[in-house]
């Protein structure tokens, strides 16, 4: 598969996503405490969480659900180009559900039903207060990538590579010499190794989302913070093969994995994807790997 180099989706960055819960107030309180967010109400049961370089929407729905992923374009002209490009691909465009993007944002569903929203940040939203004392709100942690699992890998890869025009960075194969055994694909929409990835699994489901920090020392500081709020590390610390980033993960109250990452690899647009064997060491060079079912 080859990315259409004319895709105007390059460059975009993950700006926010929405998490659903049968108890949105509880989930908002957890994420605010664990990941350094200031929470404010958008409506009676929907919350806007923001911190340095990171923001979420949390609202009512099936526990653990993630209705949409919001990708930020750079300027109005790019958004116009993205809309025209997606229409030219024959895609069914949907209204944006995001309260954090301007009304002209454009949304499209992939073969598994995940909704990607492309837009520009809405002005006039509440701002979090200045933080002058050490706290999680003062720790770096830019929302950086989102990952899904699928039992429909080939159509998902075709959609992100050939339709949207994301750039493949790395693949993991069960047989490193056989592309038909591909099990994981990492995609970038700017110079960072991946803003989206898809793992083969037994069903379509959420996998994780990640915050990128400034250094290895920040990994330490975030782990110390998790300890202070009695949140156990679920996986790691370790180092991924694809992306070469340092990491650890925790689970939120609905079992959704959230990653703190550092030193994610930078890859020029023209750099070709690499192939890794699907094995524990590829997923964690330091220790046990998480092999999806």
């Amino acid at each position: 598969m080859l990315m259409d180099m004319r895709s105007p989706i390059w460059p975009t960055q993950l700006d926010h996503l929405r998490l659903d819960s049968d108890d949105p107030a509880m989930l908002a309180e957890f994420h605010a405490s664990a990941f350094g967010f200031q929470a404010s109400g958008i409506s009676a049961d929907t919350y806007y969480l923001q911190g340095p370089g990171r923001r979420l929407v949390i609202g009512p729905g099936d526990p653990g659900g993630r209705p949409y992923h919001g990708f930020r374009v750079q300027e109005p002209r790019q958004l116009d180009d993205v809309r025209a490009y997606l229409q030219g691909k024959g895609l069914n465009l949907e209204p944006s559900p995001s309260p954090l993007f301007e009304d002209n944002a454009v949304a499209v569903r992939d073969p598994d039903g995940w909704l990607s929203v492309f837009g520009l940040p809405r002005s006039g939203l509440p701002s979090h207060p200045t933080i002058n004392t050490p706290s999680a709100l003062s720790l770096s942690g830019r929302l950086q990538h989102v990952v899904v699992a699928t039992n429909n890998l080939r159509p998902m890869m075709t959609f992100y590579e050939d339709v949207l025009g994301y750039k493949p960075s790395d693949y993991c194969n069960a047989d490193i010499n056989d592309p038909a055994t591909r099990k994981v694909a990492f995609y970038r929409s700017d110079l960072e190794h991946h803003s989206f990835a898809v793992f083969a699994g037994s069903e379509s489901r959420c996998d994780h989302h990640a915050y990128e920090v400034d250094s290895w020392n920040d990994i330490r500081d975030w782990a110390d913070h998790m300890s202070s709020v009695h949140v156990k590390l679920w996986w790691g610390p370790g180092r991924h093969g694809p992306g070469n980033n340092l990491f650890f993960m925790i689970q939120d109250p609905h079992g959704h994995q959230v990653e703190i990452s550092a030193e994610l690899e930078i890859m020029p647009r023209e750099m070709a994807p690499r192939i890794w064997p699907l094995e524990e060491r590829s997923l964690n060079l330091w220790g046990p790997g998480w092999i999806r079912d």
Side-chain angles (χ1 to χ4, degrees):
M1 296 182 186
L2 296 175
M3 188 184 85
D4 184 350
M5 293 300 291
R6 297 169 297 176
S7 172
I9 286 172
W10 182 289
T12 59
Q13 295 82 37
L14 183 63
D15 180 87
H16 66 279
L17 48 84
R18 172 168 164 150
L19 301 176
D20 276 359
S21 176
D22 56 353
D23 189 349
M26 174 278 297
L27 192 64
E29 182 178 357
F30 174 86
H31 280 268
S33 172
F35 293 102
F37 286 107
Q38 182 76 29
S40 56
I42 295 176
S43 65
D45 54 4
T46 302
Y47 297 88
Y48 171 39
L49 277 64
Q50 59 176 325
R54 53 189 180 268
R55 54 189 194 159
L56 298 176
V57 177
I58 294 179
D62 293 336
R66 204 171 61 200
Y68 58 82
H69 313 139
F71 290 88
R72 181 180 66 256
V73 300
Q74 311 304 303
E75 59 182 2
R77 173 65 181 272
Q78 185 187 9
L79 182 57
D80 291 341
D81 290 344
V82 168
R83 178 179 290 102
Y85 176 81
L86 296 176
Q87 289 173 331
K89 291 286 187 177
L91 298 175
N92 179 35
L93 304 187
E94 300 185 24
S96 166
S98 172
L100 307 190
F101 278 163
E102 297 286 356
D103 291 340
N104 61 348
V106 59
V108 62
R109 291 191 186 275
D110 69 23
D112 278 4
W114 300 104
L115 191 67
S116 292
V117 185
F118 299 94
L120 291 160
R122 184 184 299 276
S123 59
L125 293 171
S127 298
H128 65 74
T130 301
I131 304 299
N132 294 316
T133 56
S135 74
L137 260 172
S138 65
L139 293 175
S140 71
R142 170 175 48 88
L143 182 63
Q144 196 280 322
H145 68 256
V146 65
V147 179
V148 302
T150 184
N151 56 1
N152 196 31
L153 183 63
R154 183 58 56 174
M156 288 285 282
M157 290 174 56
T158 297
F159 181 82
Y160 283 92
E161 293 184 31
D162 298 341
V163 179
L164 292 189
Y166 282 42
K167 182 72 174 175
S169 298
D170 280 315
Y171 301 118
C172 294
N173 293 1
D175 178 346
I176 197 168
N177 297 312
D178 184 359
T181 69
R182 198 147 286 165
K183 298 297 183 182
V184 188
F186 295 88
Y187 294 108
R188 65 191 185 276
S189 55
D190 67 0
L191 294 175
E192 292 187 306
H193 179 271
H194 61 287
S195 57
F196 179 82
V198 57
F199 281 70
S202 58
E203 61 182 348
S204 172
R205 61 177 184 269
C206 297
D207 191 273
H208 73 274
H209 69 272
Y211 302 98
E212 183 73 7
V213 302
D214 294 335
S215 70
W216 169 246
N217 284 346
D218 293 321
I219 296 275
R220 175 203 63 193
D221 293 345
W222 273 110
D224 283 342
H225 166 71
M226 293 299 173
S227 175
S228 75
V229 294
H230 303 281
V231 173
K232 293 180 179 180
L233 303 194
W234 178 78
W235 184 25
R239 183 185 285 277
H240 294 310
N244 199 40
N245 47 320
L246 304 155
F247 76 95
F248 71 77
M249 288 189 187
I250 65 99
Q251 288 185 321
D252 76 9
H254 294 317
H256 186 84
Q257 284 76 230
V258 188
E259 180 176 38
I260 298 291
S261 163
E263 302 180 8
L264 187 67
E265 188 174 6
I266 299 300
M267 298 179 68
R269 188 174 185 176
E270 66 275 9
M271 189 169 173
R274 299 158 302 196
I275 312 296
W276 295 74
L278 184 66
E279 61 186 24
E280 278 196 315
R281 191 171 187 278
S282 295
L283 301 177
N284 184 5
L285 295 170
W286 291 359
W290 171 24
I291 304 293
R292 279 68 168 177
D293 62 359

